[in-house]
Amino acid sequence: MVTRKEVAELARVSEATVSRVFNGLGPMKEETKQRVLEAAKTLNYHPNAIAQSFARRRSGNLGVVLPYVPKVHLFSTYFFSEILSGIGSKVREKGYDLLLMFRSPEDESEYTDIFRSQKVDACIILGAGDTPREREQLKKLESAGNPFFLVNQHFAGEQFNEVDADHTGGSYRAVKYLLDEGYSRIAFLNGSPQFSSSGDRWHGYKLAMEEAGIDSMQYQKWYYEGNYSRTSGYRAANQMAEQISELDAVFSANDRMAIGLMQGLRERGLEAGRDFAVIGCDNSDAARVTDPPLTSVAVPFYEMGSLAAERLLEQLGGEGGGFQLKLDTELIVRQSSSKR
């Protein structure tokens, strides 16, 4: 086994300098660093990962906090699988490991506990909701100087690190498309208001409807709410069926609810793309194989996860500061919104 002493002798530096190079500690001339790295490569030297972690006082893990929801298969949902794939790809590229942690809304532990245990050096939080307790926990995390990022969630009035999508613009384009196609009695099936994407999509819907001269008292009667699950979309079909005669289109805040809605209304003899138009959000894999294929707003979840991981690891390396960004969305037109 090649030792640190042998690398030091070949590079003509001290053993302490070799340690500093591989542990990323302290200032150093680039020429010296390169000599050490070349010597290590020549001798096929690989420093002990555990020893490195102790020297850096780092775990080498980037954590991802996921919501724990009993009987819900998170990894099969397009939203979580795409974001996690983006995070995992970037983490692997940067030489870090990924640690997944589940946290229920009723969990009494604090986000700061994750860092106190030294299990992770930084974390990405998915599925956060805008509740008083969640804000309090995130502000504690921020005050403690623990690096973290939010994905697909923002908190009004706060400056947390976040990567989001332009849900307002995507929603606006979807509803504007329906209006331009001749639909005007457009219902909106939204998700839980604790998620910022729900508020953003509602805002985009209202902008398009008001721009078309549709009175707010009218379109507010066409507002329905689910919880982003297919089951909640199916249940919404029961409510919507009572006033379906005065509707000609539906915009849903995600594909899963749109698919459940289409199934529920089909059981009542109503077909999307024939009796009414439907547009969803996310552009999930399922949108391509529904009958008819579902028009949807494409959200770049994979890129959001990758970008969050990249910027978070850069911050760990002492680069960059606060970061807030919204990525563009795109309307993908398919048969579910075709003109009758």
Side-chain angles (χ1 to χ4, degrees):
M1 177 185 291
V2 178
T3 66
R4 185 174 58 190
K5 181 178 180 181
E6 290 173 289
V7 175
E9 288 174 349
L10 183 59
R12 303 186 307 280
V13 298
S14 68
E15 290 184 48
T17 298
V18 174
S19 294
R20 285 169 56 209
V21 169
F22 284 101
N23 292 321
L25 299 173
M28 183 177 303
K29 290 182 180 179
E30 184 61 28
E31 178 188 352
T32 302
K33 178 180 177 181
Q34 290 305 318
R35 283 213 317 272
V36 171
L37 293 175
E38 284 296 325
K41 183 177 180 182
T42 300
L43 297 172
N44 195 28
Y45 171 73
H46 300 284
N48 184 282
I50 297 175
Q52 279 187 292
S53 295
F54 278 115
R56 293 175 178 171
R57 294 194 176 183
R58 289 184 179 174
S59 67
N61 294 325
L62 185 147
V64 177
V65 181
L66 297 161
Y68 174 70
V69 185
K71 298 183 180 180
V72 173
H73 303 288
L74 288 184
F75 300 115
S76 66
T77 63
Y78 185 78
F79 170 80
F80 286 108
S81 64
E82 283 292 292
I83 292 178
L84 285 171
S85 293
I87 294 171
S89 175
K90 186 58 64 174
V91 166
R92 185 175 185 274
E93 176 188 316
K94 298 294 184 180
Y96 253 72
D97 291 321
L98 196 62
L99 182 65
L100 300 183
M101 296 165 286
F102 291 90
R103 188 172 186 270
S104 67
E106 299 79 24
D107 197 336
E108 292 299 322
S109 66
E110 300 181 359
Y111 284 127
T112 51
D113 293 341
I114 298 168
F115 290 89
R116 290 194 191 103
S117 65
Q118 297 186 339
K119 289 181 179 178
V120 301
D121 303 324
C123 72
I124 294 174
I125 299 171
L126 305 182
D130 192 351
T131 65
R133 185 173 186 278
E134 188 79 358
R135 278 185 179 253
E136 178 188 356
Q137 294 299 317
L138 292 172
K139 288 176 77 69
K140 282 185 179 179
L141 202 55
E142 181 183 49
S143 298
N146 299 131
F148 71 96
F149 257 78
L150 298 166
V151 177
N152 202 56
Q153 176 72 21
H154 60 82
F155 290 77
E158 305 294 346
Q159 294 296 314
F160 302 136
N161 288 327
E162 62 187 43
V163 180
D164 207 347
D166 182 13
H167 297 296
T168 297
S171 176
Y172 172 84
R173 283 189 292 275
V175 178
K176 183 72 164 55
Y177 173 82
L178 290 170
L179 291 164
D180 290 344
E181 288 293 298
Y183 301 100
S184 60
R185 294 168 292 152
I186 305 167
F188 180 46
L189 175 55
N190 202 6
S192 171
Q194 71 177 3
F195 301 115
S196 59
S197 58
S198 300
D200 291 345
R201 287 167 175 163
W202 173 231
H203 184 52
Y205 168 89
K206 291 191 294 183
L207 284 175
M209 295 292 274
E210 289 170 6
E211 188 178 277
I214 300 172
D215 185 77
S216 63
M217 294 294 292
Q218 182 61 56
Y219 67 67
Q220 285 180 12
K221 293 194 304 182
W222 301 332
Y223 178 90
Y224 299 86
E225 196 171 287
N227 62 7
Y228 286 118
S229 69
R230 186 183 61 81
T231 300
S232 69
Y234 181 84
R235 289 172 180 160
N238 290 327
Q239 305 167 32
M240 205 172 292
E242 297 176 5
Q243 59 178 159
I244 195 66
S245 60
E246 63 179 271
L247 299 173
D248 55 14
V250 182
F251 172 57
S252 172
N254 80 338
D255 290 347
R256 288 164 67 84
M257 291 194 298
I259 292 168
L261 176 74
M262 289 165 61
Q263 178 187 351
L265 291 178
R266 182 182 294 116
E267 291 175 3
R268 292 166 174 76
L270 300 169
E271 294 288 336
R274 184 192 71 187
D275 302 303
F276 61 98
V278 179
I279 294 181
C281 273
D282 296 348
N283 193 36
S284 61
D285 294 337
R288 301 168 178 79
V289 296
T290 57
D291 181 23
L294 178 65
T295 294
S296 186
V297 178
V299 181
F301 293 127
Y302 181 94
E303 291 78 6
M304 290 161 68
S306 176
L307 189 55
E310 180 177 42
R311 294 304 175 97
L312 193 50
L313 293 174
E314 285 177 357
Q315 285 190 0
L316 280 177
E319 303 175 30
F323 185 75
Q324 294 181 312
L325 183 66
K326 285 191 177 184
L327 303 188
D328 289 336
T329 56
E330 179 186 4
L331 182 64
I332 309 298
V333 178
R334 300 189 180 93
Q335 288 92 323
S336 72
S337 62
S338 63
K339 186 67 178 171
R340 291 168 294 175

